[in-house]
Amino acid sequence: MALGQYYYLVSSLPGLSLGTVPDLRTPAFLEHCRTLGGDDLHSRLASVSLLPDSGWMPTSAAGRGWCAWETYVRNLLVHRRASTPSQAEHWLHDEADVFPGVMRLVEDALNVGDPLAREAALDRLRWQCLNDLATGHDFDFDALVIYRLRLLLAEKTADADTDASAARLEERVIAAVEAATSQRQTDNCP
């Protein structure tokens, strides 16, 4: 398959929407890409991450656009959450671009009272960013990168709402309590 020509692959992917459990999960998506696009395509898409500082080095315009946008948003969040400007400096990352209209949207999302609703509002902004990045990328590699990012975001939001997430959280809490109890006993603390 020629680089940039992914008509059949892109058309074969199910639609995604934020807030619903995706029909296709990451392992199946990546295997589908390997089957129809080869090992190189699989490995390039497997490295895509929602986190701009995850070690993913985007080679596509959509990937670079996503990383620039997400870094900008994360820096806004750092400024908002830090108690002092000097405290924020430690956590800031270099920004590749500025998105002036986003600042107001992030502020609106952060003014939502409930933490889960706040995160959902931020995720809706992320989804809109991906919609904007998708313009002009219908069947090229960028379309697959955007699909992968949307899939990761849809999985993140779907997993946050499941009973399995609650069970994982409970397991982690129990493990942390057991580890603390064990450490206390090792240190001979009351």
Side-chain angles (χ1 to χ4, degrees):
M1 182 177 299
L3 183 63
Q5 304 301 315
Y6 301 103
Y7 299 108
Y8 181 75
L9 176 55
V10 173
S11 346
S12 69
L13 297 171
L16 297 171
S17 60
L18 191 63
T20 62
V21 177
D23 293 332
L24 182 70
R25 300 295 272 202
T26 288
F29 167 73
L30 292 174
E31 191 53 39
H32 187 63
C33 291
R34 181 192 313 273
T35 301
L36 296 178
D39 289 336
D40 182 56
L41 180 64
H42 172 273
S43 63
R44 290 176 67 197
L45 290 171
S47 69
V48 171
S49 173
L50 289 173
L51 305 174
D53 56 352
S54 66
W56 169 42
M57 301 301 289
T59 58
S60 68
R64 287 188 300 275
W66 170 259
C67 286
W69 187 90
E70 184 67 12
T71 298
Y72 182 78
V73 168
R74 286 172 179 265
N75 282 345
L76 290 174
L77 296 174
V78 166
H79 281 294
R80 174 74 185 269
R81 293 175 178 158
S83 55
T84 65
S86 62
Q87 184 186 31
E89 292 301 318
H90 173 72
W91 300 102
L92 296 175
H93 293 274
D94 292 335
E95 294 175 1
D97 207 345
V98 177
F99 303 87
V102 172
M103 183 182 295
R104 165 81 185 197
L105 298 172
V106 169
E107 284 295 324
D108 289 346
L110 291 175
N111 288 329
V112 175
D114 176 73
L116 288 176
R118 239 187 331 261
E119 188 63 24
L122 290 169
D123 286 341
R124 284 190 299 277
L125 291 177
R126 290 178 173 108
W127 196 266
Q128 183 57 51
C129 170
L130 292 171
N131 288 342
D132 295 344
L133 289 171
T135 302
H137 298 288
D138 297 321
F139 299 103
D140 60 3
F141 179 70
D142 283 291
L144 292 171
V145 169
I146 292 164
Y147 190 91
R148 170 82 163 122
L149 289 165
R150 283 180 177 151
L151 179 59
L152 290 168
L153 190 56
E155 288 175 331
K156 173 190 164 224
T157 59
D159 289 346
D161 294 334
T162 65
D163 292 335
S165 293
R168 282 193 307 273
L169 176 61
E170 186 173 347
E171 288 172 10
R172 290 179 182 161
V173 168
I174 290 169
V177 169
E178 289 172 354
T181 302
S182 174
Q183 186 64 41
R184 228 181 269 130
Q185 290 170 349
T186 303
D187 294 343
N188 294 322
C189 293

